[in-house]
Amino acid sequence: MSDEVTYDGASGVPVITGPAAESAGAPQEGMGCHAKGEMEAAARKAGAAEVLDRYAEDYPKGPHDQPQSMCPAFGSLRVGLRMKRVATVLSGSACCVYGLTFVSHFYGARRSVGYVPFNSETLVTGKLFEDIRESVHEMADPARFDAIVVTNLCVPTASGVPLRLLPKEINGVRIVGIDVPGFGIPTHAEAKDVLAGAMLNYARKEAEAGPVAAPEGGVEDRPTLTLLGEMFPADPMMIGAMLAPMGLAAGPVVPCREWRELYAALDCGAVAAIHPFYTAAIREFEAAGRPVLGSAPVGHDGTAAWLAGIGDAFGLSPDKVATAQNAFLPAIREAFDKAPVKGRITLSGYEGSELLVARLLIESGAEVPYVGTACPKTPWSAADAEWLAARGVTVKFRASLEDDCAAMEALEPDLAIGTTPVVQKAKERGTPSLYFTNLISARPLMGPAGAGSLAEVVNAAMGNKGRMDRMRDFFEGVGTGDSAGVWEGDPNIREDFRATNLKKLEKQKRAAKAQEMI
Ligand code: SF4
């Protein structure tokens, strides 16, 4: 007799067998993030190997190659939705599109998200591509749009829906097709780069082919510095103020807000990779012959080094650089002195600005033993990583949620800044915590405005330790994980079911391993 623990007799019912379906294993509507392996293999077979290889090179994976946060396509979707006169169309499973649309509107998108639905038949017969083509033809109205962005999510990418075969332009409306599968793009940050890179590529070719539209606000007389990365709105202005004594101006911020800004962004003297993960966008700037600088003007040391780097990139005299440094560095020092931060802080996030924030906190006086970022290591964050390492900080690129939680638990900080699950875990332990995205990214970081801007929120959170302890004590004993909540009796925990299930999972794992060897 088997010692397997079962709920009912369903396991004994004979399985109906039949001829194997030809489409078995093929991507289908409703396949989700968990089917990453199958979908990647299918995509490679379906002709997407080249694009996946490029993504693998641009966005190196490991240890966390599976999105641990939101669907990565949210990054590119958001970039498209924030642009004027740009329409966004998704092609993917209805559940994915529902989630992405929901999150977009939660974050205040004021534009509709287009969707071309499909089913197994339209997917395998190629009709889905015809439907997408028909919908872009219908939408391509130059009075309404400069461009239409069509995005293949996981299932259409795995099925090889060939967006590259869409017309490049219809009635003067540009058509940009991109594949943004969760199995090729590790984070939503890097998905922003996929679209920014594709648009810059398009705009660069247009500019090479002939005259293009001037920016709405006119052409800047001074040489400009294009800024790469979504920032707090005051940051580009602060950067502009710091560039002015050197006779330079801040150019557009990429990802741009309208199509013609792309031309102005390419028409710069140099590019500042404020966020370091825009690999595809940087490739376009380099193809246009623009020098690219890493790091950002954060804190005293960061601003001094960054201004010197700008001087080198534009070939300015040391006097000009010194004028800018003398105008701003004392104010930065003063701002730090006025708003000190005392305490131990662990920091993690997926925005790409984690290293910059850590620099600011350290210069404010905080002890920061650990910084985790979901983004990969790139040449554009090397100076920040070096500066932090010299101060004893452990910097973990491509940090997984497990890395971030383990650091928070082991280092017992006075404050944990992190993503939602890290903050949740910290709260359970009674550790004060702040969401990186909502509370830290939504503040100025650059120059004198950034120095000291974090102190208020960080110190207020650390001052809440007593409150967090009282809350933890209050909730003590209500259970955790699957036994959390209010129970009439004791939670019905079946250790025997768990042990059996664990054995099954281990068996599956061993079988998968053996399969790999074959
Ligand atoms: S599109 Fe996003 S939500 Fe849908 S399966 Fe892919 S990663 Fe998951």
Side-chain angles (χ1 to χ4, degrees), residues 30-36 39 66-67 69-74 91-93 95-97 99-100 152-156 180-183 185:
M31 246 188 179
C33 316
H34 56 278
K36 158 183 106 84
M39 287 205 277
Q66 174 77 29
S69 58
M70 66 186 84
C71 166
F74 178 60
S91 153
S93 296
C95 46
C96 308
V97 175
L100 287 164
N152 262 348
L153 301 178
C154 284
V155 172
V180 189
F183 53 82
I185 315 285

Side-chain angles (χ1 to χ4, degrees), residues 49-226:
E50 197 184 319
V51 73
L52 289 177
D53 286 344
R54 199 184 65 231
Y55 288 162
E57 210 173 290
D58 283 354
Y59 314 120
K61 289 182 187 171
H64 106 249
D65 55 1
Q66 174 77 29
Q68 282 180 301
S69 58
M70 66 186 84
C71 166
F74 178 60
S76 56
L77 177 62
R78 198 170 112 119
V79 164
L81 287 174
R82 292 173 89 193
M83 284 182 81
K84 267 196 222 164
R85 291 177 47 82
V86 169
T88 311
V89 177
L90 294 179
S91 153
S93 296
C95 46
C96 308
V97 175
Y98 168 75
L100 287 164
T101 313
F102 179 88
V103 182
S104 312
H105 291 293
F106 179 80
Y107 279 101
R110 274 170 279 164
R111 224 79 60 70
S112 301
V113 179
Y115 174 41
V116 182
F118 65 87
N119 56 35
S120 302
E121 197 185 323
T122 60
L123 194 65
V124 295
T125 57
K127 173 81 169 54
L128 171 59
F129 176 70
E130 297 303 321
D131 290 347
I132 293 173
R133 192 164 57 181
E134 201 181 311
S135 69
V136 289
H137 270 281
E138 254 173 51
M139 285 176 77
D141 174 3
R144 293 175 62 209
F145 300 122
D146 290 332
I148 299 173
V149 177
V150 187
T151 305
N152 262 348
L153 301 178
C154 284
V155 172
T157 305
S159 303
V161 174
L163 296 184
R164 63 186 179 282
L165 300 184
L166 286 174
K168 291 281 164 268
E169 184 238 291
I170 304 169
N171 303 329
V173 178
R174 301 154 187 93
I175 312 296
V176 181
I178 51 171
D179 295 309
V180 189
F183 53 82
I185 315 285
T187 61
H188 85 287
E190 288 150 304
K192 292 180 194 173
D193 178 49
V194 173
L195 182 54
M199 287 186 164
L200 282 166
N201 178 279
Y202 199 121
R204 183 170 63 78
K205 288 181 180 155
E206 284 182 300
E208 281 168 3
V212 289
E216 230 172 31
V219 179
E220 172 63 51
D221 296 336
R222 295 169 289 178
T224 57
L225 177 75
T226 291

